Amino acid sequence: MHCEHELAPGLYWIGGDDHRTPLFEGHHPVPHGMAYNNYLLLDEKTVLFDTIDRAVEERFLETVEHLLDERPLDYIVINHMEPDHSATLGAVAARHPEAALVCTATAKQMVKQFFGPDLAERVHVVGDGDTLDTGARTLTFLKAPMVHWPEVMVTYDADDRILFSADAFGSFGALDGRLFDSDYDFDAELLDENRRYYANIVGKYGTQVTDLLDKLDGHDVDLICPLHGPLVRDNITRLIGLYRTWAAYRPEDAGVVIAYASIYGGTRDVAEKLAFKLSDRGVNDLALFDVSVTDPSYILSEAFRVGTVVLASVTYNAGVFPKMQEFIEAMVAHNLRHRRFAIIQNGSWGPIAGRLMTKAVEAIPDSTIVGDMLTIKSRMTDAQEPDLDALADAIAAAVRDEDGERADAAGETAGEDAAAARVTAGAAGVAGTAAAPGADPAGTASAPSVNRSSTTATPADDRTGTASSPADGRTSTAAAPSANRASTATTPLTPPPARDLPPIPGTANTKVMQVWRCTFCGYQAEVPKGTDMSTFVCPICFHSGEGRFVLVREKVVPA
Ligand code: FEO
């Protein structure tokens, strides 16, 4: 059986849903299924954009043949080689030996690894800005390394103003017949799963996502065609603004996540009591999670959304409770910067989880500890009520500060808001692909819907307004313009100059360590000073060579 949907003359969506896979990538729960999108273009040349996951292989292959209707397949564009999009590449290539594969040099190496050298011989390697003339259209290829693998590129069709965005702008969840974002209530049905997908799949690579967004500046886009989730046509401005915010690790909202690990209820009770105290202090954008119940992918997603995270854990095997440890490691692995943390620990005889949690989150750049750590032994006592009040005061003050900072930043940059979330003219524009001014559906005007806390936000969109949102139930008493320019600022890439550091007082033997960043994938390697980085091979993207790594910082540590 074939199943397709025409997006533009001769351009078809030909994806499929999988409702049987409980875990995407064997890791992230997908209770609403998973959509795999790909596309077929029938121009003077025929072009298949990526292939598909094994789970939906049969219908995909039949649809390709139905639409081709005996025509040859000229090109298979590989935007992403991860097997959820390439598992059936071998099958398509075998049916169509005439097809040339179009991809980056890194993808070619992966074609060879997954399918062998013969298929790799059919690859036509393209670089950044290279184009392919298909007849009525010109396709432009833009490299997007580490969004989410190193070989990724996106493809821009300037004639239809369509962006084939690979994993970028994707979402968890099956389509179930609703192909476009306009078929959904974005806030009630899409935003949370869009954010969870971003945080868990692409969230580690904020710098590279920002690079892609900068590269897309100046490209007019009417339709984003991601490899997962609904196609985006009504929320382009908004989604790009959210991606700017997420990629800069700036919170969307001045809210609080309380994640607790409790075995017999003592830690849970303190976490819940803290939530009530925060609400009493006007902090109502609150999300409380039992880490033993909620998958870390959801908690991480909420931690991307808000600015303050409370970690409350029982001590377990002289360490942090394993489920809490998993959540903390997820935040560390995803570089969740610019967050405030408050710590509560429990231990009936040897509480140590708090110190370990503090050390772990302090290692995240730009993190701040709020208030004094609260230690309980088995159960909180009445005598500790003032300590919990003090912690609630400190957290509430931090949330108010964050609101104020965001309001100030919004005021300073209000005039730039229109450009912040828009695909506008930029330095990396591809020559000859600019469309007529004014035709950009992303819009030149600031979109109220980008701003969750704008006074013009719709009720369903208002997480930070005074009115409770039926869509998600999260409220706050203070409005905080969140889609501002400051919250989307990119991280400076220029590292501070190396300097001679003093020895650690009281430490007889020290050594100097250096942190170097891979300019290809962003991986940061900590090595002894003097290490020859020209021969160092990045363990993430496997690139090496002179200039591949740039120095980020130095530090003196005990030898
Ligand atoms: Fe949807 Fe990175 O694969």
Side-chain angles (χ1 to χ4, degrees):
M1 193 199 85
H2 60 89
C3 182
E4 65 279 345
H5 191 294
E6 191 167 24
L7 304 173
L11 176 65
Y12 298 86
W13 167 90
I14 54 170
D17 286 341
D18 179 10
H19 277 288
R20 290 195 169 181
T21 299
L23 298 172
F24 180 67
E25 292 185 346
H27 189 189
H28 308 295
V30 281
H32 306 295
M34 196 69 198
Y36 302 95
N37 300 323
N38 46 14
Y39 310 91
L40 183 67
L41 174 63
L42 304 178
D43 202 344
E44 291 175 24
K45 299 292 185 181
T46 59
V47 183
L48 177 63
F49 296 91
D50 293 295
T51 58
I52 210 162
D53 192 87
R54 282 249 188 269
V56 284
E57 175 178 11
E58 186 175 345
R59 193 183 81 193
F60 159 75
L61 292 174
E62 289 186 27
T63 303
V64 170
E65 298 312 318
H66 168 76
L67 290 173
L68 284 174
D69 193 21
E70 308 296 328
R71 288 184 66 182
L73 178 60
D74 296 304
Y75 300 104
I76 304 172
V77 169
I78 303 170
N79 285 317
H80 188 12
M81 267 301 294
E82 193 167 4
D84 52 333
H85 313 294
S86 72
T88 47
L89 175 62
V92 177
R95 290 175 180 219
H96 293 279
E98 75 281 9
L101 279 52
V102 179
C103 61
T104 63
T106 312
K108 179 179 180 178
Q109 177 60 32
M110 291 185 178
V111 171
K112 187 176 179 182
Q113 291 167 196
F114 279 109
F115 297 100
D118 290 347
L119 191 55
E121 286 299 310
R122 291 167 56 181
V123 165
H124 175 77
V125 170
V126 291
D128 212 28
D130 284 355
T131 59
L132 175 66
D133 184 350
T134 65
R137 296 166 173 86
T138 300
L139 305 176
T140 302
F141 306 108
L142 300 170
K143 293 174 72 174
M146 302 317 297
V147 187
H148 124 246
W149 276 19
E151 88 297 355
V152 170
M153 66 178 188
V154 301
T155 302
Y156 178 62
D157 169 3
D159 300 280
D160 291 319
R161 296 202 291 266
I162 292 176
L163 176 69
F164 300 93
S165 63
D167 274 345
F169 307 113
S171 179
F172 291 131
L175 296 176
D176 293 344
R178 292 188 289 171
L179 186 57
F180 299 100
D181 62 335
S182 50
D183 301 328
Y184 302 75
D185 179 327
F186 185 83
D187 288 274
E189 297 182 279
L190 290 183
L191 177 55
D192 284 347
E193 283 298 73
N194 224 305
R195 185 190 303 105
R196 186 167 72 95
Y197 173 89
Y198 175 88
N200 289 278
I201 304 302
V202 199
K204 179 176 177 61
Y205 306 108
T207 300
Q208 294 83 353
V209 171
T210 299
D211 289 345
L212 174 60
L213 296 174
D214 289 345
K215 193 178 287 190
L216 291 172
D217 268 357
H219 293 69
D220 290 321
V221 178
D222 281 355
L223 179 66
I224 296 176
C225 293
L227 288 170
H228 300 287
L231 284 55
V232 184
R233 60 185 180 191
D234 275 12
N235 295 279
I236 293 174
T237 305
R238 175 141 187 223
L239 197 52
I240 289 175
L242 287 166
Y243 261 59
R244 286 275 185 195
T245 300
W246 296 335
Y249 301 97
R250 300 287 180 182
E252 292 168 63
D253 301 321
V256 178
V257 162
I258 302 175
Y260 67 86
S262 187
I263 303 173
Y264 298 112
T267 311
R268 175 204 61 204
D269 290 346
V270 178
E272 288 186 4
K273 193 161 193 169
L274 175 63
F276 281 110
K277 288 180 181 295
L278 289 173
S279 182
D280 288 344
R281 287 159 175 77
V283 178
N284 286 309
D285 188 341
L286 284 166
L288 195 74
F289 295 104
D290 182 335
V291 297
S292 296
V293 174
T294 304
D295 184 82
S297 68
Y298 291 91
I299 314 175
L300 180 69
S301 180
E302 279 295 280
F304 262 75
R305 185 180 70 80
V306 303
T308 303
V309 179
V310 179
L311 302 172
S313 179
V314 65
T315 298
Y316 193 83
N317 285 341
V320 179
F321 191 72
K323 295 286 188 180
M324 177 64 81
Q325 186 68 32
E326 185 180 0
F327 168 54
I328 292 172
E329 287 175 1
M331 288 192 293
V332 173
H334 288 78
N335 292 319
L336 188 61
R337 308 196 311 259
H338 304 300
R339 293 302 185 276
R340 295 169 163 100
F341 293 96
I343 306 294
I344 298 172
Q345 67 171 347
N346 192 356
S348 292
W349 64 92
I352 194 175
R355 183 165 64 80
L356 297 173
M357 291 192 292
T358 302
K359 185 179 177 186
V361 298
E362 280 183 336
I364 304 173
D366 309 312
S367 63
T368 306
I369 300 296
V370 175
D372 294 329
M373 178 173 71
L374 178 65
T375 298
I376 62 171
K377 291 196 170 184
S378 307
R379 293 285 186 274
M380 187 183 133
T381 65
D382 288 347
Q384 290 184 300
E385 198 80 27
D387 296 335
L388 189 59
D389 279 327
L391 186 58
D393 286 341
I395 295 169
V399 171
R400 281 193 295 273
D401 285 348
E402 186 182 345
D403 255 350
E405 290 166 10
R406 293 148 68 92
D408 289 346
E412 290 170 6
T413 59
E416 301 174 33
D417 275 0
R422 181 179 172 250
V423 185
T424 55
V430 176
T433 57
D440 180 2
T444 57
S446 179
S449 60
V450 174
N451 188 342
R452 287 180 177 280
S453 54
S454 162
T455 54
T456 56
T458 60
D461 182 32
D462 184 1
R463 285 176 194 263
T464 53
T466 53
S468 176
S469 162
D472 57 23
R474 284 188 286 261
T475 59
S476 171
T477 55
S482 58
N484 55 63
R485 189 68 168 173
S487 71
T488 60
T490 57
T491 303
L493 293 178
T494 307
R499 56 193 172 90
D500 293 330
L501 299 174
I504 298 173
T507 306
N509 299 312
T510 60
K511 61 181 178 180
V512 179
M513 300 295 289
Q514 292 183 326
V515 177
W516 294 77
R517 181 172 55 80
C518 173
T519 58
F520 189 82
C521 72
Y523 171 77
Q524 294 195 348
E526 183 171 320
V527 298
K529 186 175 183 176
T531 300
D532 181 5
M533 296 305 290
S534 67
T535 60
F536 191 89
V537 178
C538 177
I540 301 298
C541 67
F542 308 115
H543 283 79
S544 63
E546 196 71 50
R548 173 57 65 198
F549 283 82
V550 295
L551 181 63
V552 176
R553 61 180 174 272
E554 281 188 357
K555 60 184 177 182
V556 177
V557 299

